[in-house]
Amino acid sequence: MATLSRNRKAASAPAAEAPREDPDAVQFFATCPRGLAGALAEELSGLGAKDVSAGDAGVAFGGPFELAYAANLESRLATRILARVSRFDYRNENDIYLGARRVRWHEHFGVERTFKVDTNGVKAPVKSLDFITLKVKDAIADAFREALGKRPDVSSRAPDVRVHVFLDAKWCTLYLDTSGEPLFKRGRRDRTGEAPLKKNLAAGLLRLSGWTPRMPLLDPMCGAGTILVEAAEMALGRAPGRGRSFGFENLARFDRPAWEQVKVSSAAREQAPGPRAIHGSDLYGRTLDAARANLRDMDLEGVVSLKQVNLLELSAPAATGLLVTNPPYGVRLGEKEELAKFYPELGHALKQRFAGWTAYIFSGDPDLPKLIRLAATKRTVLYNGAIECRLYEYRMVAGGNRP
């Protein structure tokens, strides 16, 4: 029997059921880009999560079902918030069918709802994850037929309810997705560049840098402005999930008055738009136009200062601050040669013009550390999709930072 190891970013389920003092408590699992689990754990704790445990690419936590409302609305780092409905050991595909069949699915969502099943696994001793998906679909349909005499329809494109199956070498865990669309889809379609940064990863860069809204911030290669938008919304106290719908609204436990109260409380913390010490620039006017349009569409244009300028000629906008940026990294023929010339110039510009600042450079280019000719004070491994990247920290001290 083949051993499968696919889609590791799904992250493993907690090793054992945590003790539950509250019989109505739910065990949740929040997925996120690999490398951000520690920061996400801190964020979720701040939202009231209990028994928080960071894993390889996600965070296990507990709390009442209503905690999913605040977690989905307020988390800038999570990709999905999953609510566990069952966990059991298995030896073969039939065990998974029987385990899924025992779940009282009609108590979780109505027969009028459409659903979809997604399966991921690490070291799962099954022949096919696609076959497991079919077995769980059958189990859900059969459970509904027995309970209600009819079954819900399957929708592969826009389901009302998403069921996630995770397999490791011994355990099968079944989750209901309380998010629906991934949380980095904030509900607004942005004008993006060639290699857009997902919003929760951009927020993660800011979180890992230690930036707070009182600090001057600069993204000198801002592209479409993803980092700037996240910073501006953080500065104004805006919830990233405002204005969009969530998967929990289609579940049987959904309490609309409680959800409305969460939204009202969140909106009360918002500040009116106004200038902040958030700065962005780019070499190309067309790129800057996209950033400006994205800011304008979200009523943030007056919050961020933008200018068209070559980074190598840019002066620091304040005596101290944080520079956070995602420079291009070569993936096509000829780009590597251009970057080999650019990186040393970038290092020189940072030393000459940004003394007193701390620079955070996010890059998937393994040549950057030696070419930029600066001594990184910290390196954090992150993933931009499937690309392994690093977030490099450079503390700029006049006359220093030589490797």
Side-chain angles (χ1 to χ4, degrees):
M1 185 174 294
T3 297
L4 297 182
S5 178
R6 185 190 301 180
N7 216 342
R8 291 180 179 272
K9 65 183 178 181
S12 59
E17 288 279 359
R20 297 186 186 182
E21 298 180 2
D22 181 357
D24 295 324
V26 176
Q27 292 296 302
F28 293 100
F29 193 81
T31 64
C32 66
R34 289 175 63 188
L36 288 183
L40 175 58
E42 293 178 0
E43 182 185 57
L44 291 170
S45 295
L47 295 173
K50 305 299 183 184
D51 302 319
V52 179
S53 177
D56 182 39
V59 177
F61 63 101
F65 180 77
E66 290 73 19
L67 179 59
Y69 305 165
N72 279 287
L73 179 66
E74 301 285 357
S75 177
R76 291 195 170 275
L77 307 183
T79 300
R80 294 184 183 277
I81 308 295
L82 307 177
R84 183 195 297 180
V85 295
S86 183
R87 186 169 187 263
F88 51 87
D89 60 356
Y90 74 98
R91 290 171 295 179
N92 53 47
E93 289 85 347
N94 193 55
D95 288 344
I96 295 172
Y97 169 83
L98 293 174
R101 178 73 174 71
R102 287 192 293 268
V103 176
R104 298 174 65 84
W105 293 103
H106 66 285
E107 295 181 357
H108 292 290
F109 62 94
V111 71
E112 77 281 0
R113 300 293 188 185
T114 60
F115 76 99
K116 179 182 179 181
V117 177
D118 290 302
T119 303
N120 294 290
V122 174
K123 298 181 179 178
V126 297
K127 294 180 180 179
S128 167
L129 295 181
D130 291 336
F131 182 63
I132 297 301
T133 296
L134 292 175
K135 296 293 284 186
V136 174
K137 284 181 185 177
D138 290 343
I140 294 172
D142 292 345
F144 265 98
R145 282 197 190 96
E146 181 179 0
L148 304 179
K150 52 186 177 179
R151 53 154 290 174
D153 292 329
V154 173
S155 174
S156 60
R157 291 192 175 182
D160 297 322
V161 176
R162 299 170 188 262
V163 176
H164 291 260
V165 183
F166 182 81
L167 305 176
D168 62 18
K170 181 180 179 181
W171 297 94
C172 173
T173 311
L174 304 177
Y175 299 98
L176 284 170
D177 186 347
T178 70
S179 300
E181 287 291 313
L183 296 180
F184 58 74
K185 295 185 177 181
R186 307 291 201 219
R188 302 168 294 278
R189 182 179 293 275
D190 297 339
R191 299 160 178 84
T192 58
E194 185 175 310
L197 199 64
K198 285 186 172 62
K199 294 179 176 63
N200 58 343
L201 181 53
L205 301 183
L206 291 168
R207 182 92 181 208
L208 292 172
S209 76
W211 179 77
T212 65
R214 293 186 177 184
M215 299 179 182
L217 175 72
L218 169 67
D219 181 354
M221 291 175 278
C222 69
T226 305
I227 293 174
L228 300 176
V229 167
E230 289 297 310
E233 292 203 323
M234 290 167 67
L236 298 183
R238 291 182 178 179
R242 73 193 187 287
R244 58 158 279 178
S245 60
F246 296 99
F248 59 71
E249 297 176 69
N250 296 325
L251 300 178
R253 296 183 66 174
F254 176 51
D255 183 341
R256 185 167 296 280
W259 169 227
E260 293 299 328
Q261 184 56 52
V262 169
K263 290 193 290 184
V264 168
S265 298
S266 176
R269 295 191 294 271
E270 291 186 17
Q271 301 175 28
R276 299 294 194 278
I278 302 173
H279 307 269
S281 61
D282 203 276
L283 177 61
Y284 303 105
R286 182 178 299 178
T287 301
L288 212 59
D289 287 343
R292 187 171 289 109
N294 285 330
L295 290 163
R296 182 175 60 247
D297 290 347
M298 286 172 269
D299 193 25
L300 295 170
E301 191 174 22
V303 180
V304 178
S305 300
L306 294 177
K307 67 163 62 173
Q308 183 179 354
V309 63
N310 188 334
L311 166 58
L312 304 179
E313 302 171 357
L314 179 65
S315 296
T320 62
L322 294 184
L323 184 154
V324 182
T325 195
N326 174 33
Y329 35 93
V331 294
R332 291 194 298 264
L333 187 65
E335 290 181 338
K336 283 283 188 181
E337 290 78 3
E338 293 179 16
L339 292 176
K341 298 176 183 177
F342 170 71
Y343 286 145
E345 295 176 331
L346 171 59
H348 181 74
L350 292 176
K351 286 187 292 184
Q352 294 298 314
R353 300 172 184 270
F354 288 86
W357 281 60
T358 302
Y360 289 87
I361 300 178
F362 178 69
S363 178
D365 191 337
D367 294 328
L368 182 144
K370 64 177 180 286
L371 293 176
I372 200 171
R373 297 175 185 172
L374 297 174
T377 47
K378 185 186 294 185
R379 297 174 175 84
T380 303
V381 178
L382 297 167
Y383 281 78
N384 187 8
I387 302 174
E388 182 176 330
C389 301
R390 300 285 190 281
L391 179 63
Y392 299 97
E393 177 191 85
Y394 299 100
R395 295 186 181 274
M396 308 312 303
V397 180
N401 294 94
R402 295 186 180 278

